[in-house]
Structure formats: structure tokens, C-alpha cells
Amino acid sequence: GELYTWGNNLRGQLGTNCTDYAHQGYVRFNPSQNECPDSPSTIRLNFPKPVQLLPYYPDVFPHSETGEMLTTPVDVAAGHYHNIVLMSDGSLLGWGSNYFGQLGIGDRRFRPFPTRILYFEPRESYAPNVGPFDGLGESITERPFEVFRPRREITRISAGEQHSVVATRCVGGGFREDLSCNC
């Protein structure tokens, strides 16, 4: 259950948070620095305690009081300048370039540190997943109601040059009478 990274870090794909070590007491990089430093050395991302010059993310990689990891990586996918990782608790993390929205976080901001991808987390959500059309080609005229959507179980992850793909297990499929997703 350890997560290591090394090599080219042009777009923050190593996840070392090269733009802001302030949370670790490090000196902040100059905002005009557009590139993150490469690392020819192996860096552990989910280290259980703060160590000088190593990234430390206790909120993303939680540990018990004894240093045991509470969730571990089970699958990793590397894109051109981004990565996604499936954790043992079912959560999904992403970091690196997000120019095309490939991290699935809902924006296009660069993430040089592991960030939770919340789309697959259990939460209140509008039912069904709606866009500008309701699926029948008719415009939506009023806001749909919110319903609880359970965690979608992720079975596979993959990352391409500028995109990511996640497969989930859907039990039942389709929609319930209240229009909530039966997945």
C-alpha cells in the first residue's frame, strides 16, 4: 500500500505539490515559476508523518495513530501529464495537468497534489444526471429535486493523453420511480 512517483514533473504529475509547501512549513515557490522540478529520485507520496523534503498529505492519505495506512492504493493510471489512483476505500484521487478537465474535478485548474475526485462519492445529487436536455430532447424548465446517490463502486480506471476513463459496477441499472439513478 505505498505510492511512489519520480521523473518528469512539468505539469505537477508527480503530485509533490511543487507550488505550495506552506502547509509543511516549506518556503513557497515563486508564483512566476511555471514548471515543477523533476525528480530523478523516488518520492513516496503517502508517507505517514511529516519528513523534510517529502510530501505529506494526512487529509488525503489518512493514517492511524500507529502509522498504519487507513486506505491504500489498489490501482493506478498514468496519463500524459496526469495520474489517477483508486484507493482501497473506493475513493478516487487525481493530480497533474487538468487543462482538458481530465482529472474529473469539475474545473480545469492544475493540481500539483493528490486531490479527491468527488463525483463517485456518496452525496446528494440532482436526479437523474441532467444537462441542458432531459434525454428526450426537451429543454428542462425547472430544477430537478435532489436525492441521495450512494458511492458508485469503481472497478477499473484508465488514463489517456488528455482524458481519463472510470468503469463502475451498476446494480439494477436505469432509474427508480422517483427518477434517482438505480446504480
Side-chain angles (χ1 to χ4, degrees), residues 75-98:
D75 198 5
V76 177
H80 194 65
Y81 289 118
H82 74 289
N83 299 291
I84 55 175
V85 175
L86 176 62
M87 301 299 287
S88 60
D89 66 355
S91 62
L92 191 63
L93 305 174
W95 64 88
S97 175
N98 196 27

Side-chain angles (χ1 to χ4, degrees), residues 24-158:
Q24 301 174 30
Y26 287 39
V27 175
R28 183 183 286 255
F29 278 82
N30 184 328
S32 66
Q33 182 176 346
N34 294 326
E35 295 183 11
C36 299
D38 297 341
S39 177
S41 303
T42 304
I43 300 170
R44 181 175 173 187
L45 289 182
N46 57 348
F47 209 73
K49 60 184 177 180
V51 174
Q52 188 70 11
L53 301 180
L54 287 180
Y56 178 58
Y57 307 111
D59 52 334
V60 179
F61 302 112
H63 292 79
S64 69
E65 303 244 345
T66 62
E68 181 182 351
M69 289 186 288
L70 299 178
T71 182
T72 57
V74 294
D75 198 5
V76 177
H80 194 65
Y81 289 118
H82 74 289
N83 299 291
I84 55 175
V85 175
L86 176 62
M87 301 299 287
S88 60
D89 66 355
S91 62
L92 191 63
L93 305 174
W95 64 88
S97 175
N98 196 27
Y99 185 80
F100 298 97
Q102 61 267 46
L103 295 181
I105 297 171
D107 61 36
R108 292 182 176 196
R109 289 192 350 238
F110 167 79
R111 296 296 194 300
F113 48 85
T115 303
R116 288 182 81 106
I117 300 171
L118 300 177
Y119 182 82
F120 302 96
E121 299 286 325
R123 67 176 195 269
E124 293 291 318
S125 178
Y126 297 110
N129 290 336
V130 293
F133 297 99
D134 64 6
L136 301 174
E138 299 172 11
S139 295
I140 294 174
T141 57
E142 58 187 60
R143 187 177 178 140
F145 53 90
E146 290 188 38
V147 295
F148 179 75
R149 188 176 75 192
R151 177 188 296 274
R152 292 187 175 178
E153 181 187 350
I154 298 170
T155 57
R156 307 268 309 198
I157 61 174
S158 182

